Coordinates of all heavy atoms in Angstrom, one line a residue:
M843 N 6.8 -12.5 2.6 CA 7.2 -11.7 1.4 C 7.6 -10.3 1.9 O 6.8 -9.6 2.6 CB 6.1 -11.6 0.4 CG 6.6 -11.0 -0.9 SD 5.2 -10.5 -2.0 CE 4.4 -12.1 -2.2
A844 N 8.8 -9.9 1.6 CA 9.2 -8.5 1.9 C 8.6 -7.5 1.0 O 8.5 -7.6 -0.1 CB 10.8 -8.5 1.9
I845 N 8.2 -6.4 1.7 CA 7.7 -5.3 0.9 C 8.8 -4.2 0.8 O 9.3 -3.7 1.8 CB 6.4 -4.7 1.6 CG1 5.3 -5.7 1.6 CG2 6.0 -3.4 0.8 CD1 4.1 -5.3 2.5
F846 N 9.2 -3.9 -0.4 CA 10.2 -2.9 -0.6 C 9.7 -1.5 -0.4 O 8.7 -1.1 -1.0 CB 10.9 -3.0 -2.0 CG 11.8 -1.9 -2.2 CD1 13.1 -2.0 -1.7 CD2 11.5 -0.7 -2.9 CE1 14.0 -0.9 -1.9 CE2 12.4 0.3 -3.1 CZ 13.7 0.2 -2.6
V847 N 10.3 -0.8 0.5 CA 9.9 0.7 0.6 C 11.2 1.5 0.7 O 12.2 1.1 1.3 CB 9.1 0.9 1.9 CG1 7.7 0.4 1.7 CG2 9.7 0.4 3.1
G848 N 11.1 2.6 0.1 CA 12.3 3.5 0.1 C 12.1 4.7 1.0 O 11.0 5.1 1.2
K849 N 13.2 5.2 1.5 CA 13.1 6.4 2.3 C 12.9 7.6 1.4 O 13.5 7.6 0.3 CB 14.3 6.6 3.2 CG 14.3 5.6 4.4 CD 15.3 6.1 5.4 CE 15.1 5.2 6.7 NZ 16.1 5.5 7.7
I850 N 12.1 8.6 1.8 CA 11.9 9.7 0.9 C 12.1 11.0 1.6 O 12.3 11.1 2.8 CB 10.4 9.6 0.4 CG1 9.5 9.7 1.6 CG2 10.2 8.4 -0.5 CD1 8.0 9.9 1.2
G851 N 12.2 12.0 0.8 CA 12.5 13.3 1.3 C 11.3 14.0 2.0 O 10.2 13.5 1.9
K852 N 11.6 15.0 2.7 CA 10.5 15.8 3.4 C 9.7 16.6 2.4 O 10.2 17.0 1.4 CB 11.1 16.7 4.5 CG 11.6 15.9 5.7 CD 12.2 16.8 6.7 CE 12.7 15.9 7.9 NZ 13.4 16.8 8.9
G853 N 8.5 16.8 2.8 CA 7.6 17.7 2.0 C 6.9 17.1 0.9 O 6.1 17.7 0.2
I854 N 7.0 15.7 0.7 CA 6.2 15.0 -0.3 C 4.9 14.6 0.4 O 5.0 14.0 1.5 CB 7.0 13.8 -0.8 CG1 8.3 14.3 -1.5 CG2 6.1 12.9 -1.7 CD1 9.2 13.2 -2.0
T855 N 3.9 14.7 -0.3 CA 2.6 14.4 0.3 C 2.0 13.0 -0.2 O 2.4 12.6 -1.3 CB 1.5 15.5 0.1 OG1 1.5 15.8 -1.3 CG2 1.9 16.8 0.8
C856 N 1.1 12.5 0.6 CA 0.5 11.2 0.3 C -0.2 11.2 -1.1 O -0.8 12.2 -1.5 CB -0.5 11.0 1.4 SG -1.3 9.4 1.3
S857 N 0.0 10.1 -1.8 CA -0.6 10.0 -3.1 C -2.1 9.5 -3.1 O -2.7 9.4 -4.2 CB 0.2 9.0 -4.0 OG 1.6 9.4 -4.0
I858 N -2.5 9.1 -2.0 CA -3.9 8.6 -1.9 C -4.9 9.8 -2.2 O -4.7 10.9 -1.7 CB -4.2 8.0 -0.5 CG1 -3.3 6.9 -0.2 CG2 -5.7 7.6 -0.4 CD1 -3.5 5.6 -1.1
S859 N -6.0 9.5 -2.9 CA -6.9 10.5 -3.2 C -7.5 11.1 -1.9 O -7.7 10.4 -1.0 CB -8.1 10.0 -4.0 OG -7.6 9.1 -5.0
D860 N -7.6 12.4 -1.9 CA -8.2 13.1 -0.8 C -7.4 13.1 0.4 O -7.8 13.4 1.5 CB -9.6 12.6 -0.5 CG -10.6 12.7 -1.7 OD1 -10.4 13.7 -2.4 OD2 -11.4 11.8 -1.8
C861 N -6.1 12.8 0.3 CA -5.2 12.8 1.5 C -4.1 13.8 1.2 O -3.4 13.8 0.2 CB -4.7 11.5 1.8 SG -3.6 11.4 3.3
S862 N -3.8 14.7 2.2 CA -2.7 15.6 2.0 C -1.7 15.6 3.1 O -1.0 16.5 3.4 CB -3.3 17.0 1.8 OG -4.1 17.4 2.9
E863 N -1.6 14.4 3.8 CA -0.7 14.2 4.8 C 0.7 14.1 4.2 O 0.9 13.8 3.1 CB -1.0 13.0 5.6 CG -2.3 12.9 6.3 CD -2.3 13.8 7.5 OE1 -1.3 13.8 8.3 OE2 -3.2 14.7 7.6
I864 N 1.8 14.4 5.1 CA 3.1 14.2 4.6 C 3.4 12.7 4.5 O 3.1 12.0 5.4 CB 4.1 14.9 5.6 CG1 3.9 16.4 5.7 CG2 5.5 14.6 5.2 CD1 4.1 17.1 4.4
A865 N 4.0 12.4 3.3 CA 4.3 11.0 3.1 C 5.5 10.5 3.8 O 6.5 11.3 4.1 CB 4.5 10.7 1.6
I866 N 5.5 9.3 4.3 CA 6.7 8.7 5.0 C 7.4 7.6 4.2 O 8.5 7.2 4.5 CB 6.3 8.2 6.4 CG1 5.2 7.1 6.3 CG2 5.9 9.4 7.3 CD1 5.2 6.2 7.5
R867 N 6.6 7.0 3.2 CA 7.2 5.9 2.5 C 6.8 6.0 1.0 O 5.7 6.5 0.6 CB 6.5 4.6 3.0 CG 7.0 4.1 4.3 CD 8.4 3.5 4.3 NE 8.7 2.9 5.5 CZ 9.3 3.5 6.6 NH1 9.6 4.8 6.4 NH2 9.7 2.8 7.6
S868 N 7.7 5.5 0.1 CA 7.3 5.4 -1.3 C 7.1 4.0 -1.6 O 7.9 3.1 -1.1 CB 8.3 6.1 -2.2 OG 9.5 5.3 -2.2
I869 N 6.2 3.7 -2.4 CA 5.8 2.3 -2.8 C 5.4 2.3 -4.2 O 4.8 3.2 -4.8 CB 4.6 1.9 -1.9 CG1 5.0 1.8 -0.5 CG2 4.1 0.5 -2.4 CD1 3.9 1.5 0.5
S870 N 5.8 1.2 -4.9 CA 5.5 1.0 -6.3 C 4.0 0.9 -6.5 O 3.3 0.2 -5.6 CB 6.3 -0.1 -6.9 OG 5.7 -1.4 -6.6
N871 N 3.5 1.4 -7.6 CA 2.0 1.3 -7.8 C 1.5 -0.1 -7.9 O 0.4 -0.4 -7.6 CB 1.7 2.1 -9.1 CG 1.6 3.6 -8.8 OD1 1.8 4.0 -7.7 ND2 1.4 4.4 -9.8
E872 N 2.4 -1.0 -8.4 CA 2.1 -2.4 -8.5 C 1.6 -3.0 -7.2 O 0.6 -3.7 -7.1 CB 3.3 -3.1 -9.0 CG 3.0 -4.5 -9.7 CD 4.3 -5.2 -10.0 OE1 5.3 -4.5 -10.3 OE2 4.3 -6.4 -10.1
K873 N 2.4 -2.7 -6.1 CA 2.1 -3.1 -4.8 C 0.8 -2.5 -4.2 O 0.0 -3.1 -3.6 CB 3.3 -2.9 -3.9 CG 4.4 -3.8 -4.2 CD 5.5 -3.8 -3.1 CE 6.6 -4.8 -3.4 NZ 7.5 -4.4 -4.5
L874 N 0.7 -1.2 -4.5 CA -0.5 -0.4 -4.1 C -1.7 -1.0 -4.7 O -2.8 -1.2 -4.1 CB -0.4 1.0 -4.4 CG 0.4 1.9 -3.4 CD1 0.4 3.3 -4.0 CD2 -0.4 1.9 -2.1
D875 N -1.6 -1.4 -5.9 CA -2.7 -1.9 -6.7 C -3.2 -3.2 -6.1 O -4.4 -3.4 -6.0 CB -2.3 -2.1 -8.2 CG -3.4 -1.9 -9.1 OD1 -4.1 -0.9 -8.9 OD2 -3.6 -2.7 -10.0
S876 N -2.3 -4.0 -5.7 CA -2.6 -5.3 -5.1 C -3.3 -5.1 -3.7 O -4.0 -6.0 -3.2 CB -1.4 -6.2 -5.0 OG -0.5 -5.7 -4.0
A877 N -3.1 -4.0 -3.1 CA -3.8 -3.6 -1.8 C -5.0 -2.9 -2.1 O -5.8 -2.5 -1.2 CB -2.8 -2.9 -0.9
R878 N -5.4 -2.7 -3.4 CA -6.6 -2.0 -3.8 C -6.8 -0.6 -3.2 O -7.8 -0.2 -2.7 CB -7.8 -2.9 -3.4 CG -7.7 -4.2 -4.1 CD -9.1 -4.9 -4.1 NE -8.9 -6.2 -4.8 CZ -8.9 -7.4 -4.2 NH1 -8.9 -7.4 -2.9 NH2 -8.7 -8.5 -4.9
L879 N -5.7 0.1 -3.1 CA -5.8 1.5 -2.7 C -5.8 2.4 -4.0 O -5.2 2.1 -5.0 CB -4.6 1.9 -1.8 CG -4.6 1.3 -0.5 CD1 -3.2 1.5 0.2 CD2 -5.7 1.9 0.4
K880 N -6.6 3.4 -3.8 CA -6.7 4.4 -5.0 C -5.5 5.3 -5.0 O -5.3 6.0 -4.1 CB -8.0 5.2 -4.9 CG -9.2 4.3 -5.2 CD -10.4 5.3 -5.6 CE -11.6 4.5 -6.0 NZ -12.2 3.8 -4.9
I881 N -4.9 5.4 -6.2 CA -3.7 6.3 -6.3 C -3.8 7.0 -7.6 O -4.6 6.6 -8.5 CB -2.4 5.5 -6.2 CG1 -2.6 4.1 -6.9 CG2 -2.0 5.3 -4.8 CD1 -1.9 4.0 -8.2
S882 N -3.0 8.0 -7.8 CA -3.1 8.8 -9.0 C -1.8 8.7 -9.8 O -0.7 8.8 -9.2 CB -3.3 10.2 -8.6 OG -2.3 10.7 -7.8
G883 N -1.9 8.4 -11.1 CA -0.8 8.6 -12.0 C 0.5 7.8 -11.9 O 0.5 6.6 -12.2
A884 N 1.5 8.5 -11.4 CA 2.9 8.0 -11.5 C 3.2 6.6 -11.1 O 2.3 5.9 -10.6 CB 3.7 9.0 -10.6
R885 N 4.4 6.2 -11.5 CA 4.8 4.8 -11.3 C 5.1 4.5 -9.8 O 5.0 3.3 -9.4 CB 6.0 4.5 -12.1 CG 5.8 4.4 -13.6 CD 7.0 4.1 -14.3 NE 7.6 2.8 -13.9 CZ 8.7 2.2 -14.4 NH1 9.3 2.9 -15.3 NH2 9.1 1.0 -14.0
R886 N 5.4 5.5 -9.1 CA 5.7 5.4 -7.7 C 4.8 6.2 -6.9 O 4.5 7.4 -7.3 CB 7.2 5.8 -7.4 CG 7.8 4.9 -6.4 CD 9.3 4.9 -6.5 NE 9.8 3.6 -6.4 CZ 9.6 2.8 -5.4 NH1 8.9 3.2 -4.4 NH2 10.1 1.5 -5.4
S887 N 4.3 5.8 -5.8 CA 3.4 6.5 -5.0 C 4.0 6.7 -3.6 O 4.9 6.0 -3.2 CB 2.0 5.9 -5.0 OG 1.4 5.9 -6.2
Y888 N 3.4 7.7 -2.9 CA 3.9 8.0 -1.6 C 2.8 7.9 -0.6 O 1.6 8.3 -0.9 CB 4.5 9.4 -1.6 CG 5.6 9.5 -2.6 CD1 5.4 10.0 -3.9 CD2 6.9 9.2 -2.2 CE1 6.5 10.1 -4.8 CE2 7.9 9.2 -3.1 CZ 7.7 9.7 -4.4 OH 8.8 9.7 -5.3
L889 N 3.1 7.3 0.5 CA 2.0 7.1 1.5 C 2.4 7.8 2.8 O 3.5 7.8 3.3 CB 1.8 5.6 1.8 CG 1.3 4.7 0.7 CD1 1.1 3.3 1.1 CD2 0.0 5.3 0.1
C890 N 1.4 8.4 3.4 CA 1.5 8.9 4.8 C 1.5 7.8 5.8 O 1.2 6.6 5.4 CB 0.4 10.0 5.1 SG -1.2 9.2 5.1
K891 N 1.8 8.1 7.0 CA 1.8 7.1 8.1 C 0.5 6.3 8.2 O 0.5 5.0 8.2 CB 2.1 7.7 9.4 CG 2.6 6.8 10.5 CD 3.0 7.6 11.7 CE 3.4 6.7 12.8 NZ 3.8 7.5 14.0
R892 N -0.6 7.0 8.1 CA -1.9 6.4 8.2 C -2.2 5.4 7.1 O -2.6 4.2 7.2 CB -3.0 7.4 8.3 CG -4.4 6.9 8.5 CD -5.3 8.1 9.0 NE -5.3 9.2 8.0 CZ -6.2 9.3 7.1 NH1 -7.1 8.4 6.9 NH2 -6.2 10.3 6.2
H893 N -1.9 5.9 5.8 CA -2.2 5.0 4.7 C -1.2 3.9 4.5 O -1.5 2.9 3.9 CB -2.3 5.9 3.4 CG -3.6 6.6 3.3 ND1 -3.8 8.0 3.3 CD2 -4.9 6.1 3.1 CE1 -5.0 8.3 3.2 NE2 -5.7 7.1 3.1
Y894 N 0.0 4.1 5.0 CA 1.0 3.1 5.0 C 0.5 1.9 5.8 O 0.6 0.7 5.5 CB 2.3 3.5 5.5 CG 3.4 2.5 5.4 CD1 3.8 1.9 4.1 CD2 4.0 2.0 6.5 CE1 4.7 0.9 4.1 CE2 5.0 1.0 6.4 CZ 5.3 0.5 5.2 OH 6.3 -0.5 5.2
K895 N 0.0 2.2 7.0 CA -0.6 1.2 7.9 C -1.8 0.5 7.2 O -1.9 -0.7 7.2 CB -1.2 1.8 9.2 CG -0.2 1.9 10.3 CD -0.9 2.4 11.5 CE 0.0 2.4 12.8 NZ -0.7 3.0 13.9
E896 N -2.6 1.3 6.5 CA -3.8 0.8 5.8 C -3.3 -0.2 4.7 O -3.9 -1.2 4.5 CB -4.6 1.9 5.3 CG -6.0 1.5 4.8 CD -6.8 2.6 4.2 OE1 -6.5 3.7 4.5 OE2 -7.6 2.4 3.4
F897 N -2.3 0.3 4.0 CA -1.7 -0.5 2.9 C -1.2 -1.9 3.4 O -1.6 -2.9 2.9 CB -0.5 0.3 2.4 CG 0.4 -0.6 1.5 CD1 0.0 -1.0 0.3 CD2 1.7 -0.9 2.0 CE1 0.9 -1.8 -0.5 CE2 2.5 -1.6 1.2 CZ 2.1 -2.1 0.0
K898 N -0.5 -1.9 4.6 CA 0.0 -3.1 5.1 C -1.2 -4.0 5.5 O -1.2 -5.3 5.3 CB 0.9 -2.9 6.3 CG 2.2 -2.3 5.9 CD 3.3 -2.5 6.9 CE 3.0 -1.6 8.1 NZ 4.1 -1.7 9.1
K899 N -2.2 -3.5 6.1 CA -3.4 -4.2 6.5 C -4.1 -4.8 5.3 O -4.4 -6.0 5.3 CB -4.3 -3.3 7.3 CG -5.4 -4.0 8.0 CD -6.2 -3.0 8.9 CE -7.5 -3.5 9.3 NZ -8.6 -2.6 8.9
K900 N -4.3 -4.0 4.3 CA -5.0 -4.5 3.1 C -4.2 -5.6 2.4 O -4.8 -6.5 1.8 CB -5.3 -3.3 2.1 CG -6.4 -2.5 2.7 CD -7.0 -1.6 1.7 CE -8.1 -0.8 2.3 NZ -8.9 -0.1 1.3
R901 N -2.9 -5.4 2.4 CA -2.0 -6.5 1.8 C -2.3 -7.8 2.5 O -2.4 -8.8 1.8 CB -0.6 -6.1 1.9 CG -0.1 -5.0 1.0 CD 0.3 -5.6 -0.3 NE 1.5 -6.3 -0.3 CZ 2.1 -6.9 -1.3 NH1 1.5 -6.8 -2.5 NH2 3.1 -7.6 -1.2
R902 N -2.3 -7.7 3.8 CA -2.6 -9.0 4.5 C -3.9 -9.6 4.2 O -4.0 -10.8 4.0 CB -2.5 -8.7 6.1 CG -1.1 -8.9 6.6 CD -1.2 -9.2 8.1 NE -1.8 -8.1 8.8 CZ -1.2 -7.0 9.2 NH1 0.0 -6.8 9.0 NH2 -1.9 -6.0 9.8
E903 N -4.9 -8.7 4.2 CA -6.3 -9.2 3.9 C -6.4 -9.8 2.4 O -7.0 -10.9 2.3 CB -7.3 -8.0 4.0 CG -7.6 -7.7 5.4 CD -8.4 -6.4 5.5 OE1 -8.7 -5.8 4.5 OE2 -8.6 -5.9 6.6
T904 N -5.8 -9.1 1.5 CA -5.8 -9.6 0.2 C -5.2 -11.0 0.0 O -5.7 -11.9 -0.6 CB -5.0 -8.6 -0.8 OG1 -5.6 -7.3 -0.6 CG2 -5.2 -9.0 -2.2
R905 N -4.0 -11.1 0.7 CA -3.3 -12.4 0.6 C -4.1 -13.5 1.3 O -4.2 -14.7 0.9 CB -1.9 -12.3 1.2 CG -1.0 -11.7 0.2 CD 0.2 -11.1 0.8 NE 1.0 -12.0 1.6 CZ 2.0 -11.7 2.5 NH1 2.3 -10.5 2.6 NH2 2.6 -12.6 3.2
R906 N -4.8 -13.2 2.4 CA -5.6 -14.1 3.1 C -6.8 -14.6 2.2 O -7.1 -15.7 2.1 CB -6.2 -13.5 4.4 CG -6.6 -14.6 5.4 CD -6.6 -14.0 6.8 NE -7.5 -12.9 6.9 CZ -7.2 -11.8 7.6 NH1 -6.1 -11.7 8.2 NH2 -8.1 -10.8 7.6
I907 N -7.4 -13.7 1.5 CA -8.5 -14.0 0.6 C -8.0 -14.9 -0.5 O -8.7 -15.9 -0.9 CB -9.2 -12.7 0.1 CG1 -10.0 -12.0 1.2 CG2 -10.1 -13.0 -1.1 CD1 -10.3 -10.5 0.9
D908 N -6.9 -14.6 -1.1 CA -6.3 -15.3 -2.1 C -6.1 -16.8 -1.7 O -6.4 -17.7 -2.4 CB -5.0 -14.7 -2.6 CG -5.2 -13.5 -3.5 OD1 -6.4 -13.3 -3.9 OD2 -4.3 -12.8 -3.8
K909 N -5.6 -16.9 -0.5 CA -5.3 -18.2 0.1 C -6.6 -19.0 0.2 O -6.6 -20.2 -0.2 CB -4.6 -18.1 1.4 CG -3.8 -19.3 1.9 CD -3.2 -19.0 3.2 CE -2.6 -20.3 3.8 NZ -2.1 -20.1 5.2
W910 N -7.6 -18.4 0.7 CA -8.9 -19.1 0.8 C -9.4 -19.5 -0.6 O -9.8 -20.6 -0.8 CB -10.0 -18.1 1.4 CG -9.9 -17.9 2.8 CD1 -9.1 -18.7 3.7 CD2 -10.4 -16.8 3.6 NE1 -9.3 -18.2 5.0 CE2 -10.0 -17.1 4.9 CE3 -11.2 -15.7 3.3 CZ2 -10.4 -16.2 6.0 CZ3 -11.5 -14.9 4.3 CH2 -11.2 -15.1 5.6
R911 N -9.3 -18.6 -1.5 CA -9.8 -18.9 -2.9 C -9.1 -20.1 -3.5 O -9.8 -20.9 -4.0 CB -9.6 -17.7 -3.7 CG -10.3 -17.7 -5.0 CD -9.9 -16.6 -6.0 NE -10.2 -15.3 -5.5 CZ -9.5 -14.2 -5.7 NH1 -8.4 -14.3 -6.5 NH2 -9.8 -13.1 -5.3
W912 N -7.8 -20.1 -3.3 CA -7.1 -21.2 -3.9 C -7.1 -22.5 -3.2 O -6.7 -23.5 -3.7 CB -5.6 -20.7 -4.2 CG -5.5 -19.6 -5.2 CD1 -5.2 -18.3 -4.9 CD2 -5.9 -19.7 -6.6 NE1 -5.3 -17.6 -6.1 CE2 -5.7 -18.4 -7.1 CE3 -6.3 -20.7 -7.4 CZ2 -5.9 -18.1 -8.4 CZ3 -6.5 -20.4 -8.8 CH2 -6.4 -19.1 -9.2
S913 N -7.5 -22.4 -2.0 CA -7.4 -23.7 -1.2 C -8.8 -24.4 -1.3 O -8.9 -25.5 -0.8 CB -7.1 -23.4 0.3 OG -8.0 -22.6 0.8
V914 N -9.8 -23.8 -1.8 CA -11.1 -24.4 -2.0 C -11.0 -25.5 -3.1 O -10.5 -25.3 -4.1 CB -12.2 -23.4 -2.4 CG1 -13.5 -24.1 -2.6 CG2 -12.4 -22.4 -1.2
Ligands
ZN1823 ZN1 -2.5 9.4 3.2

């Protein structure tokens, strides 16, 4: 499954709570939600490099767990 990410402007900071790194990607909250990352408010969120990595990792984990659950 392709994850849609948009390029964003400079100076936007990460939307994850307690993170103030410069964001490199914008992601819809729907997708962030499925990765179980805490975000604030808006429909679109912004992730820094570190949290974008974490997001991708969590997406994989979540999908793996779902697969297990449904294959039992
Ligand atoms: Zn961050």
Side-chain angles (χ1 to χ4, degrees):
M843 190 194 298
I845 298 172
F846 175 80
V847 288
K849 287 197 172 175
I850 58 169
K852 287 180 180 172
I854 296 173
T855 53
C856 183
S857 302
I858 303 292
S859 321
D860 304 324
C861 181
S862 54
E863 296 289 310
I864 297 296
I866 57 153
R867 289 281 190 274
S868 73
I869 295 176
S870 75
N871 282 357
E872 200 183 333
K873 291 190 171 78
L874 273 177
D875 213 42
S876 67
R878 300 193 180 105
L879 286 170
K880 286 200 176 69
I881 36 105
S882 57
R885 287 181 62 180
R886 219 160 224 300
S887 293
Y888 300 93
L889 295 181
C890 65
K891 197 173 180 181
R892 184 163 58 92
H893 279 117
Y894 182 62
K895 269 187 176 176
E896 192 182 337
F897 164 71
K898 286 199 294 188
K899 191 171 160 237
K900 289 198 177 189
R901 284 277 289 182
R902 268 201 304 275
E903 284 169 4
T904 305
R905 275 157 61 190
R906 199 158 58 221
I907 290 164
D908 283 347
K909 201 177 167 187
W910 285 340
R911 190 192 298 151
W912 293 113
S913 61
V914 171

